[in-house]
Amino acid sequence: MSEATNATGTRPRRIRPESLSLISVGVALLIAGALLTSYQYFSLRNSLRSDLTVQARLIGDNVQAALTFEDVRAAQDLLSSLKSSDTVTSAVVFNRNGREFARFDREHVPPDGDSARPFSRSPPYQIERMQVEQEIVLGGAPVGRIRIVGSLDQAYFRLALFIGATLLTSVLSMVLAKLLISGMHRAVKQAEERLDYLAHFDPVTNLFNRHAFNERLDFATKRARRFGNRVALLLLDLDNFKTVNDTLGHQAGDTLLKSVADRLGQRLRKSDAICRLGGDEFAVILENIADAQQAASLGQAVVEVISAPFEISGRKVFVTASCGIGVFPDHAEAAKDLIRSADTAMYHAKDAGKNISAVFRPEMTAKADRRINIEGSLRAALETDQMELYFQPKVDFVNRCLNGAEALLRWHHPLHGDISPVEFIPVAEVSGLIGPLGKWVLQKACAQAAAWQRKGYPSVDISVNISVIQLKDPRFVDIVADALAAAGLPARHLELELTESMLMEDVEANLGVMKRLRALGVQISIDDFGTGYSSMSYLKRFPITTLKIDRSFVSDLPNDRENAAITEAIIALAHALDLKTVAEGVETQAQAQELSEAGCDYLQGYLFSEPLPADAFIAWWKSSGLSTPNSDRSVAA
């Protein structure tokens, strides 16, 4: 017989937790009631004794004269005043010889001449009585004594009322406790159901969440191994979801996520598990897949269905997705390895231009490992002096004048050699290292410009590229101010280069930051102008000082007349708004001549110099024969 059954073979009835709680409450109330009743009883007795003592003292003080002059009537009148007391049942005044002198008896008035009757009678209705005696003293000598007897009937009546009120309160408390416990039990049950839902489903899209995804993927791979099937995993990342979220708001972002989930559900099979892993990441588990080619076809179909415009808050919204595909057991032997393979393929799709799907290939792992190694090495690069600033000049071609230099970061890795900023800057942004890296660049650039001034070289402006993550740092303006103060560099000699897309992510916040930067005296340049929004509205609103013409418009000059027209339009627009212009990527005399004739203020590119270390930059400057805006002579050799 099981331990769970009793001798009769039936399962013993278990007491529910809420019943145990009620029993505990009841016992606690009974104990508390008994203690309070006991306290109340003794409190009432003490109160009665105090009351009788006070009355005995008052009568004794007032009956002294009556005893002295043997005025029985006066003593009797004094005792009669005790009728107003509900608790006093009788009182007797004795003379100094111990004989009864006067009496008050609420229930019995003795016949005339029977004043010596012993005071021993107690009214039949009394439950309990209390007696107090006190000497009557006059001039320091006893002249008699008084005895007062009080009934505890009123005390017991009040005690009975207290017990009744206590019992009623206890019953009501039990009822309330039962209601509260029942409500709590329902709330706990609902909370458990809610927690179970949240443990497995995403509340925004109602898709499986990451926890459920891990469980289902593990189950799917084990079942595929058992029956010799294939499982494909699609990892999706929305490419520009953040822009939609920041521009239209989080509510619109949630609506977009729901719409993406609906499209995935309509495009895929009922048996396919669609999951939202968090943020703008989705995953799809495809079971019973014939081969990687079928998975690739489905992946591309998913990318295409997401790329169609969405209708959000009455507006058309466009997003794209990068999809990475891994197949079990072709690309992995376990669920966790399959996730890694699909994730690697997804990053490959992003690097390849986004809005595509990519199936995992073994060679992708080497690239992913390099990315991880770069991130790990990047953390130590600043501390071990692997980073160095290079400087590329900005030249006033017409006046043969050096106007400024752009500071460019270079990484000399001890094992991997020089690593391009194109490779390590995105890693720094994703890993959260762009903050300390950008701060270091600001400090070094300001310090180098100030050092050149202290050595007697004419002043030039130093340009520093800023990441969007730096711009969002609430401490950014203070970081810039601290870098200028530490170096002793006037703010007018620092220029910060921002891209159009950075400014448009959060217009109002960025506008506030830029106004604070301009209040410091810092110059602000828009980099790669013409390749992004090129909006007249932000050119009017933002306190910028310079436009940089993107190299894509310069490379085919002077032969490409369309690019020439665009370049001329940008220069004319900038001058109309009282802005300076810089053309980057200038490599030929013909390009320089074309831009100068169009009115471009400054040129930058390999025609003049490649980016150089600080010392080499000074050496080039000395040999260039270029003057500076603050000098009518070239740098002395």
Side-chain angles (χ1 to χ4, degrees):
M1 183 179 295
S2 171
E3 291 181 0
T5 59
N6 56 24
T8 63
T10 60
R11 186 179 298 275
R13 186 176 181 180
R14 293 184 177 181
I15 301 177
R16 297 174 64 185
E18 55 267 32
S19 299
L20 287 174
S21 299
L22 281 174
I23 292 172
S24 301
V25 170
V27 171
L29 288 174
L30 285 175
I31 294 174
L35 292 174
L36 287 173
T37 301
S38 299
Y39 172 79
Q40 187 74 0
Y41 171 72
F42 288 109
S43 177
L44 290 172
R45 284 183 62 89
N46 291 335
S47 178
L48 177 60
R49 182 175 296 278
S50 298
D51 184 51
L52 294 177
T53 302
V54 169
Q55 293 190 72
R57 184 181 302 113
L58 290 173
I59 295 296
D61 290 344
N62 288 281
V63 82
Q64 293 171 348
L67 282 170
T68 303
F69 296 103
E70 297 185 355
D71 187 349
V72 175
R73 181 173 294 279
Q76 196 68 44
D77 289 343
L78 283 171
L79 291 180
S80 297
S81 66
L82 295 174
K83 291 179 181 180
S84 61
S85 175
D86 293 336
T87 57
V88 176
T89 59
S90 61
V92 180
V93 175
F94 298 93
N95 61 20
R96 71 181 62 189
N97 297 323
R99 291 183 61 81
E100 185 177 299
F101 182 73
R103 162 186 293 274
F104 163 74
D105 195 332
R106 187 183 300 276
E107 297 297 327
H108 175 69
V109 179
D112 295 340
D114 193 22
S115 61
R117 182 183 57 82
F119 186 68
S120 61
R121 181 177 176 184
S122 177
Y125 64 88
Q126 285 184 300
I127 300 174
E128 185 180 357
R129 65 180 184 173
M130 180 179 293
Q131 179 175 294
V132 174
E133 289 193 19
Q134 187 170 313
E135 278 193 326
I136 302 172
V137 179
L138 179 63
V143 294
R145 59 189 175 87
I146 182 171
R147 176 191 297 161
I148 294 182
V149 177
S151 172
L152 287 172
D153 290 356
Q154 289 292 329
Y156 282 119
F157 178 72
R158 291 168 62 185
L159 188 63
L161 290 178
F162 176 79
I163 293 173
T166 302
L167 288 175
L168 179 61
T169 302
S170 299
V171 171
L172 292 177
S173 298
M174 289 288 289
V175 173
L176 181 61
K178 180 171 177 57
L179 293 176
L180 289 175
I181 291 174
S182 299
M184 189 181 301
H185 180 69
R186 287 193 299 271
V188 169
K189 187 175 181 180
Q190 292 172 357
E192 289 175 346
E193 292 173 352
R194 178 63 176 169
L195 287 174
D196 182 70
Y197 170 81
L198 293 176
H200 294 88
F201 291 91
D202 169 54
V204 175
T205 61
N206 206 33
L207 298 176
F208 292 118
N209 63 10
R210 184 179 290 274
H211 177 71
F213 161 74
N214 290 329
E215 290 181 345
R216 293 182 71 88
L217 183 62
D218 185 63
F219 178 76
T221 53
K222 288 179 179 177
R223 183 162 58 183
R225 180 182 290 109
R226 180 178 180 184
F227 295 103
N229 296 329
R230 283 184 171 83
V231 175
L233 173 62
L234 277 58
L235 289 184
L236 299 165
D237 188 87
L238 303 184
D239 296 321
N240 52 341
F241 172 75
K242 190 175 185 303
T243 301
V244 175
N245 216 25
D246 292 342
T247 305
L248 301 181
H250 292 286
Q251 186 173 358
D254 288 347
T255 302
L256 177 58
L257 292 173
K258 293 176 186 176
S259 301
V260 171
D262 291 340
R263 285 193 185 178
L264 291 175
Q266 294 169 6
R267 179 62 184 83
L268 297 168
R269 304 170 300 179
K270 295 292 184 181
S271 59
D272 298 332
I274 308 172
C275 315
R276 182 190 173 208
L277 304 183
D280 56 359
E281 294 182 77
F282 292 83
V284 181
I285 302 172
L286 307 172
E287 296 193 64
N288 299 318
I289 292 296
D291 51 30
Q293 184 59 43
Q294 183 185 0
S297 299
L298 286 171
Q300 189 57 39
V302 165
V303 169
E304 291 173 359
V305 78
I306 291 177
S307 64
F310 292 87
E311 190 77 20
I312 306 294
S313 301
R315 299 176 59 176
K316 282 189 176 182
V317 174
F318 294 86
V319 294
T320 58
S322 298
C323 177
I325 304 169
V327 179
F328 174 90
D330 300 8
H331 305 145
E333 297 181 356
K336 63 178 182 180
D337 298 324
L338 184 60
I339 295 173
R340 188 179 299 111
S341 297
D343 192 56
T344 300
M346 184 187 70
Y347 275 106
H348 179 81
K350 279 186 170 294
D351 292 341
K354 304 178 181 180
N355 196 27
I356 62 171
S357 65
V359 179
F360 173 79
R361 299 191 307 274
E363 55 267 26
M364 293 180 182
T365 303
K367 187 175 182 181
D369 289 343
R370 178 174 173 82
R371 187 186 189 96
I372 294 172
N373 290 333
I374 287 176
E375 180 178 346
S377 301
L378 195 56
R379 297 182 183 275
L382 291 177
E383 300 175 0
T384 55
D385 295 327
Q386 297 177 25
M387 295 294 180
E388 184 180 9
L389 287 186
Y390 278 42
F391 301 88
Q392 187 174 35
K394 297 178 184 178
V395 175
D396 182 344
F397 186 70
V398 175
N399 299 313
R400 302 298 296 169
C401 175
L402 177 65
N403 173 262
E406 180 179 358
L408 299 167
L409 185 61
R410 296 293 183 263
W411 183 7
H412 307 299
H413 195 282
L415 297 178
H416 303 297
D418 290 346
I419 300 178
S420 169
V422 176
E423 188 174 10
F424 71 78
I425 292 297
V427 176
E429 290 180 333
V430 172
S431 63
L433 295 173
I434 193 66
L437 194 63
K439 182 178 180 180
W440 183 90
V441 171
L442 271 171
Q443 292 172 341
K444 290 293 184 181
C446 291
Q448 184 61 74
W452 284 339
Q453 292 183 13
R454 286 193 296 270
K455 290 180 180 179
Y457 299 121
S459 301
V460 295
D461 296 338
I462 294 295
S463 300
V464 176
N465 291 283
I466 300 300
S467 164
V468 63
I469 297 175
Q470 290 176 267
L471 196 63
K472 290 182 177 180
D473 188 341
R475 303 166 300 169
F476 178 65
V477 177
D478 294 332
I479 291 173
V480 173
D482 291 344
L484 289 168
L489 180 70
R492 67 180 182 275
H493 292 303
L494 175 64
E495 181 181 69
L496 302 180
E497 294 192 7
L498 314 173
T499 63
E500 293 180 85
S501 58
M502 286 170 56
L503 299 180
M504 300 306 291
E505 281 198 10
D506 190 343
V507 173
E508 295 303 323
N510 291 337
L511 180 59
V513 174
M514 293 175 70
K515 286 181 177 179
R516 292 173 61 196
L517 289 170
R518 288 293 294 137
L520 287 177
V522 173
Q523 301 180 64
I524 300 175
S525 170
I526 302 300
D527 197 9
D528 301 334
F529 185 79
T531 61
Y533 295 89
S534 303
S535 169
M536 284 290 293
S537 61
Y538 85 72
L539 286 180
K540 290 173 61 179
R541 293 186 67 190
F542 289 126
I544 58 181
T545 55
T546 306
L547 292 183
K548 290 193 73 174
I549 303 170
D550 187 69
R551 64 181 65 247
S552 62
F553 300 116
V554 175
S555 59
D556 292 331
L557 293 179
N559 300 321
D560 191 326
R561 297 318 304 165
E562 289 184 358
N563 281 345
I566 292 173
T567 302
E568 291 172 4
I570 293 174
I571 294 170
L573 174 63
H575 289 169
L577 296 174
D578 199 24
L579 304 176
K580 297 294 183 180
T581 54
V582 178
E584 58 182 357
V586 179
E587 298 182 354
T588 67
Q589 285 286 345
Q591 292 170 347
Q593 191 66 36
E594 177 82 9
L595 290 164
S596 298
E597 291 175 358
C600 186
D601 298 291
Y602 311 117
L603 308 180
Q604 178 183 353
Y606 276 61
L607 173 63
F608 309 103
S609 174
E610 62 181 338
L612 298 169
D615 292 340
F617 179 83
I618 290 297
W620 167 85
W621 190 0
K622 289 179 178 180
S623 63
S624 68
L626 298 176
S627 63
T628 65
N630 299 324
S631 174
D632 58 1
R633 60 182 178 80
S634 61
V635 178

